[in-house]
Amino acid sequence: MKNWFPLIISPLQVTVKRIFFLLCICCFITLKSSALNYYWVGGTGNWSDLSHWATTSGGSTLHNQIPSAVDDVYFDGGSFNAAGQTVTLNASTIFCRDMSWQAVTNTPTLSGLTQNILKIYGTLTFVSGMNVNFLSMVNFEATSTGKTITMAGKAFRNGVFFNGIGGEWTLLDEFRAPSVSLNSGILNSNNQTVNLIRFFAGSATLNMSSSIFNVSGGSINPAIPDSWSCSSTIINCGTSTINCTANNPQFRGGNSTYYDLNFTSTNSTNSKLFGNNTFRNVFSNSKISLYQSNSIQNASFLGDALLDSSNIFTNLNFSAGHSYKLRSGATQTINGVFNAIGNCGALIDISSTTSGSQASISKLSGTVNISFGILKDIIATGGASFAANNSIDLGNNQDWTFTSPSPQNLYWVGNSGNWDDGNHWSYVSGGAPSGCSPSPNDNVFFDVNSFNSAGQSVTLNTSTAYCKDMNWQTVSNNPTLTGLTQNQLKIYGSLTFVSGMNINFLAKVNFEATSTGKTITMGGKSFRSNVFFNGIGGEWTLLDEFRSINNLTLNRGTLNTNNQTVNILAFEAGAATLYMGSSIFNIANSLGANTESWSVSSSTILNCGTSTINCTGNRPEFKGGGFNIL
């Protein structure tokens, strides 16, 4: 049998065959690269059905293959003869260059399944007289400039990807989609509004002009993608605005310059801003955390904030009644105005993230005047004059001039209400409202004139509620102290609960005293949250059984359990002192690994007395700190 090719082929023969093969490929590409016009005909049908693709509008001559990436497709007056007709994207991947519905009639519908992909290599034109309900992903794949997108009030229902290297797309009207991934090319938002859940950009260019980007995605779950995420992206921000509208959005700017960024939700427990970015304005309606270093002309925070790195502000605004944590060792530089004006009913808490370690606020010249503040571990630098009027110095502050308010007694009046409502605090029992809420200097009392009937409550509604001593000793009508998990109660003196009250607040409890002689009376009540002892130099003595269904953490100071029974989930101690006497500690933790039932560090001073520790959980872990307990 004769072979088709000899066993030995000369180099010349190989070269000729390669040239012939390449010529064939080039001829095929050249023939197909001439764009053909495809016109939909015949009403309802599947994209892959050749009987619906004509060579002319309303024509009977059909194409012999479905549209490719170089072909333009048209839906017009010759496509549908009645209302309610549908084009279904039924193939796994749908291709076209331009897609135009510009002259369509009878309000047809473009439909398709989630697993399919529509790839458009040119321009897209929707119209108001159609319906778009396909669930397919959309890939814009152009590799040349001058492409446009017209949505005509319609919205994509799946992710949209811009993938074409060298491609350029310009929005001609409002754009709506669940998400946009700008992987390559140039996207011009062209002053149009863009409504998304999430936006992502890679090695591409985004020209934002004066567009408004409304981004509604957000989550406290790190496994869920960010609301806005750019990396290696060229951002030309123009005078644009980005509104992150959801609870707990995450914005990763990618070390870029932006114009205005707004976190608009009033219910976020932690919006997050990442990246070494530059902004004109940053506004937050609720709690926000800034990570990495940012440069912001005007920053306004209406809720709590964590500034977790050094930042530069022209003007910085903190709001009355909120807490601001500044990263220990970092510097917040202010070149213009620092506005932190509280009032006696809404103090501003400014402190370092690490107790005992200072954070810095720097201003080169002029003055900084804050009022009704609470400062701890804050150093003033840079040469300006720093004054804290009607403010409380909680220690380790440097180069501030304090004018402190006088300590006072405040009595709860007016039945049910919120802790921060000055209409519920009087200077005398049963007296007229003072208009002020408690500070760390103030003793608070709940007595016979506080509540006039059963079922009334005091709600710890602020991010941080303060007092010195808290005393419920003469209260009547069995009121309830309540509050939310994200809030906290800071007590700088003694605590006295009684049996004739209810405790169901979930807020963390921080005992912050910095002097001796403080006592804790539980009155048979139990905390439902974690309890912390934080005061350097503080000393607390238990006067009865102590109970919490969560953890007790002794970070600083001295705790004397005074022979009382202690019932808690877990115990942890750091550089502090524990006098155990003959107390019985019942530790109920059953969580096992990395959740110790008892954990005492080597820096703890432990006086065990004749105490007993009962680990009652199923899988307790006991870390004793290397002490000899005899």
Side-chain angles (χ1 to χ4, degrees):
M1 183 176 180
K2 188 174 181 180
N3 292 325
W4 284 103
F5 298 102
L7 293 177
I8 299 176
I9 303 175
S10 70
L12 178 61
Q13 288 174 307
V14 172
T15 301
V16 170
K17 287 180 173 60
R18 286 177 176 172
I19 292 173
F20 177 76
F21 176 75
L22 291 174
L23 285 173
C24 290
I25 294 296
C26 289
C27 287
F28 175 79
I29 292 174
T30 300
L31 288 173
K32 189 54 189 167
S33 64
S34 299
L36 299 177
N37 293 332
Y38 279 67
Y39 294 84
W40 185 267
V41 295
T44 294
N46 290 326
W47 182 281
S48 62
D49 186 345
L50 291 177
S51 68
H52 285 283
W53 292 115
T55 58
T56 59
S57 175
S60 58
T61 302
L62 302 176
H63 287 283
N64 59 7
Q65 63 181 36
I66 62 175
S68 73
V70 298
D71 299 322
D72 298 330
V73 299
Y74 298 90
F75 303 86
D76 62 12
S79 297
F80 306 96
N81 58 15
Q85 296 180 334
T86 301
V87 178
T88 301
L89 303 176
N90 66 310
S92 59
T93 305
I94 308 296
F95 300 94
C96 71
R97 190 172 69 174
D98 291 353
M99 176 187 284
S100 175
W101 295 72
Q102 199 160 12
V104 79
T105 59
N106 289 307
T107 316
T109 297
L110 181 61
S111 182
L113 300 178
T114 306
Q115 61 267 30
N116 299 339
I117 300 174
L118 171 60
K119 292 191 174 185
I120 301 174
Y121 289 79
T123 288
L124 170 66
T125 305
F126 287 152
V127 293
S128 59
M130 65 179 295
N131 298 306
V132 175
N133 70 2
F134 70 93
L135 303 176
S136 311
M137 290 188 297
V138 180
N139 290 9
F140 289 98
E141 302 279 351
T143 56
S144 59
T145 60
K147 312 307 177 187
T148 62
I149 300 172
T150 302
M151 296 296 292
K154 307 305 173 185
F156 293 120
R157 300 178 66 184
N158 203 333
V160 176
F161 300 82
F162 292 88
N163 295 325
I165 297 175
E168 181 197 37
W169 304 268
T170 299
L171 305 183
L172 297 186
D173 59 1
E174 181 180 1
F175 185 93
R176 288 187 292 167
S179 66
V180 162
S181 296
L182 179 58
N183 297 319
S184 55
I186 300 170
L187 177 60
N188 302 312
S189 60
N190 190 34
N191 309 318
Q192 307 299 329
T193 298
V194 179
N195 295 302
L196 308 168
I197 296 176
R198 293 183 172 90
F199 177 83
F200 309 90
S203 299
T205 299
L206 175 63
N207 296 320
M208 302 175 72
S209 56
S210 62
S211 291
I212 296 174
F213 287 75
N214 297 313
V215 185
S216 63
S219 176
I220 58 174
N221 183 351
I224 295 177
D226 305 309
S227 306
W228 182 284
S229 181
C230 290
S231 176
S232 303
T233 309
I234 298 173
I235 302 287
N236 296 301
C237 66
T239 58
S240 60
T241 300
I242 301 171
N243 295 318
C244 295
T245 63
N247 294 338
N248 307 309
Q250 297 186 17
F251 184 96
R252 297 182 187 271
N255 307 335
S256 297
T257 296
Y258 296 88
Y259 201 65
D260 290 350
L261 173 62
N262 299 317
F263 296 89
T264 63
S265 171
T266 58
N267 297 313
S268 287
T269 56
N270 197 5
S271 302
K272 294 181 179 180
L273 168 57
F274 297 91
N276 300 291
N277 306 298
T278 299
F279 299 91
R280 188 187 73 143
N281 295 322
V282 173
F283 167 84
S284 179
N285 232 340
S286 51
K287 185 176 180 180
I288 186 171
S289 296
L290 275 63
Y291 299 96
Q292 302 166 295
S293 297
N294 295 275
S295 178
I296 303 171
Q297 287 187 39
N298 301 294
S300 294
F301 304 131
L302 299 191
D304 297 352
L306 165 65
L307 306 184
D308 197 57
S309 59
S310 296
N311 297 279
I312 299 174
F313 303 94
T314 302
N315 302 310
L316 176 61
N317 296 285
F318 288 168
S319 296
H322 291 282
S323 298
Y324 298 91
K325 290 286 189 180
L326 313 184
R327 171 55 57 190
S328 167
T331 300
Q332 310 306 318
T333 300
I334 301 167
N335 295 320
V337 175
F338 179 31
N339 181 19
I341 307 300
N343 57 68
C344 73
L347 305 176
I348 297 177
D349 187 336
I350 306 172
S351 61
S352 168
T353 55
T354 303
S355 180
S357 179
Q358 290 175 323
S360 297
I361 298 176
S362 176
K363 192 175 188 301
L364 292 179
S365 61
T367 61
V368 172
N369 288 298
I370 71 171
S371 62
F372 290 97
I374 301 172
L375 272 66
K376 188 175 188 297
D377 300 317
I378 302 297
I379 180 173
T381 64
S385 175
F386 288 79
N389 302 311
N390 289 305
S391 297
I392 297 170
D393 181 358
L394 290 183
N396 200 29
N397 300 299
Q398 184 176 337
D399 293 330
W400 290 85
T401 300
F402 279 89
T403 303
S404 298
S406 300
Q408 53 196 2
N409 295 332
L410 291 174
Y411 294 80
W412 184 265
V413 294
N415 307 313
S416 290
N418 290 328
W419 181 278
D420 68 347
D421 187 348
N423 291 319
H424 284 283
W425 294 106
S426 175
Y427 294 127
V428 295
S429 175
S434 67
C436 297
S437 58
S439 79
N441 280 354
D442 302 328
N443 299 318
V444 298
F445 297 88
F446 303 85
D447 64 11
V448 293
N449 293 315
S450 297
F451 308 95
N452 62 14
S453 63
Q456 297 177 340
S457 61
V458 178
T459 301
L460 302 174
N461 64 309
T462 62
S463 58
T464 305
Y466 309 94
C467 68
K468 189 176 180 183
D469 291 352
M470 178 187 284
N471 192 320
W472 295 72
Q473 198 163 10
T474 60
V475 78
S476 60
N477 289 309
N478 290 297
T480 298
L481 181 61
T482 185
L484 301 177
T485 305
Q486 61 266 28
N487 300 337
Q488 59 180 333
L489 170 62
K490 290 189 174 183
I491 300 174
Y492 291 80
S494 295
L495 170 66
T496 304
F497 286 154
V498 293
S499 59
M501 64 178 296
N502 300 302
I503 304 294
N504 70 2
F505 69 94
L506 302 175
K508 292 186 295 185
V509 179
N510 295 273
F511 289 98
E512 301 281 346
T514 56
S515 59
T516 61
K518 311 308 176 187
T519 61
I520 299 173
T521 302
M522 295 298 294
K525 304 305 172 184
S526 174
F527 290 122
R528 300 180 63 189
S529 57
N530 293 322
V531 178
F532 301 85
F533 292 85
N534 295 321
I536 297 174
E539 181 197 43
W540 305 269
T541 299
L542 304 184
L543 297 186
D544 61 359
E545 180 182 2
F546 184 95
R547 288 189 292 170
S548 173
I549 64 172
N550 276 290
N551 302 341
L552 189 158
T553 301
L554 178 59
N555 291 316
R556 297 287 189 274
T558 300
L559 176 61
N560 184 351
T561 59
N562 190 33
N563 310 320
Q564 306 298 329
T565 298
V566 178
N567 294 299
I568 52 179
L569 182 66
F571 178 82
E572 181 179 358
T577 299
L578 176 63
Y579 287 97
M580 302 174 71
S582 61
S583 291
I584 297 173
F585 287 75
N586 296 312
I587 313 297
N589 182 29
S590 298
L591 299 179
N594 301 316
T595 56
E596 293 87 6
S597 302
W598 182 282
S599 179
V600 174
S601 76
S602 59
S603 58
T604 306
I605 298 173
L606 183 66
N607 297 281
C608 66
T610 58
S611 60
T612 300
I613 302 171
N614 297 318
C615 294
T616 63
N618 293 331
R619 295 179 295 168
E621 290 191 4
F622 186 96
K623 294 187 177 180
F627 293 98
N628 291 320
I629 301 177
L630 302 175

